[in-house]
Amino acid sequence: MNALPAPPSKTRATVWSIVAGLVLLACIVFLDVDWAALFGLPRSSWEYGVLMFSDPTWEKLPRALFETWRSISMAWLGAIGCVVCSIPLGMLAARGVGPTWLRMILRGIFAVIRAVPEVIIALILLTVTGLTPFTGALALGIAGIGTQGKWVYETIESLNDDASEAVAAAGGGKVAVLRWALWPAALPTLMSFALYRFELNIRMSAVLGLVGAGGIGSMLSNYTNFREWGTVGMLLIVVIVATMLVDLVSGAIRRRIMEGSRARGLVRSR
């Protein structure tokens, strides 16, 4: 009669659970959480919600729409600049495309950029470009290169090697493989990522406005400081509606790009 196998050891999982619990406890202790204020948060949120949304001030809606358009323009310009820079750099950072030394340098640059929040980049740029929406667009473009570049080289590395091997077998070099095998296969995914970056920039443009980069965020910050809650409520409604509309349109385009590419692949396979 064969002996039953020994049950798997749970020592490692137990140790990691204890470590995670200790880290959580340390975070709570060092953050000095005011539990009384935390428990009173629902009541305070309700009170401010009533102040903002019971009677929104619609007189400033035209200016709010104009500032929203500036935020969308800022997000779009940042996304375009990010994509233009990150696609060639990300391709050179992919394994099998760029040399090892260049790949390591580019990946290190992407990691450093990802480690710096957009707000910090905007604050640094403010000393050079001033309090303008261009500062916000530039900050969004630079900050997006780190993430977008990583998406690009991961997409290139995840592609099937069949097309690349076919081009190489036909006598094509690295440039030909990149142009005729990797680029057509990666294009739908890269376009989807570019649109997703635009969606992220829409949200971040409102945050950058809080530090003086212009757009609806600056308007929201100003009226919050003056405690004009009716206007703040109207601005929040505009921000939410505009963000949802952009998400719907961008999401529909992204789905069309991805589903269209799959449909073409099925037709060719038949």
Side-chain angles (χ1 to χ4, degrees):
M1 182 176 179
N2 296 329
L4 294 175
S9 176
K10 297 182 178 180
T11 303
R12 179 176 297 180
T14 303
V15 170
W16 282 111
S17 298
I18 294 174
V19 171
L22 291 176
V23 171
L24 178 61
L25 182 61
C27 292
I28 294 175
V29 171
F30 286 104
L31 282 178
D32 192 18
V33 179
D34 187 354
W35 295 106
L38 184 62
F39 291 136
L41 183 61
R43 180 178 59 84
S44 300
S45 299
W46 173 259
E47 292 176 354
Y48 282 105
V50 170
L51 289 174
M52 289 187 292
F53 300 113
S54 61
D55 186 22
T57 305
W58 297 105
E59 287 79 2
K60 297 181 176 63
L61 179 61
R63 184 189 168 195
L65 294 176
F66 174 73
E67 294 297 336
T68 301
W69 173 248
R70 295 181 72 179
S71 294
I72 294 174
S73 302
M74 188 188 337
W76 181 249
L77 289 176
I80 293 296
C82 164
V83 170
V84 168
C85 294
S86 63
I87 286 182
L89 295 178
M91 285 186 167
L92 290 174
R95 189 178 297 107
V97 178
T100 302
W101 63 269
L102 180 59
R103 187 169 69 245
M104 293 298 102
I105 291 175
L106 289 175
R107 293 191 181 196
I109 293 174
F110 294 155
V112 170
I113 294 176
R114 288 197 305 273
V116 183
E118 289 88 344
V119 175
I120 302 301
I121 296 177
L123 289 174
I124 295 173
L125 293 175
L126 283 174
T127 60
V128 180
T129 57
L131 298 173
T132 63
F134 175 72
T135 301
L138 195 58
L140 291 173
I142 294 174
I145 290 175
T147 304
Q148 197 79 17
K150 187 174 188 295
W151 289 343
V152 170
Y153 72 71
E154 287 183 347
T155 299
I156 296 296
E157 292 177 354
S158 66
L159 295 175
N160 193 296
D161 294 333
D162 293 345
S164 300
E165 292 174 355
V167 174
K174 281 191 174 182
V175 176
V177 170
L178 184 63
R179 170 63 182 87
W180 300 109
L182 299 179
W183 174 249
L187 183 58
T189 303
L190 297 182
M191 291 178 63
S192 177
F193 282 151
L195 287 171
Y196 182 59
R197 186 70 226 178
F198 172 58
E199 295 178 20
L200 295 178
N201 284 358
I202 289 291
R203 296 171 176 83
M204 284 307 306
S205 64
V207 178
L208 293 182
L210 300 178
V211 297
I216 192 68
S218 295
M219 191 175 178
L220 185 60
S221 176
N222 293 333
Y223 284 103
T224 301
N225 292 333
F226 288 116
R227 301 296 191 269
E228 296 189 19
W229 300 118
T231 304
V232 172
M234 180 271 296
L235 293 174
L236 289 177
I237 293 173
V238 171
V239 169
I240 292 171
V241 172
T243 303
M244 292 178 64
L245 289 176
V246 170
D247 283 352
L248 286 173
V249 174
S250 178
I253 296 174
R254 285 194 292 114
R255 285 193 299 272
R256 179 64 183 87
I257 291 173
M258 300 307 295
E259 292 174 0
S261 65
R262 286 197 293 269
R264 287 192 297 269
L266 291 174
V267 172
R268 290 175 183 175
S269 65
R270 292 176 182 176

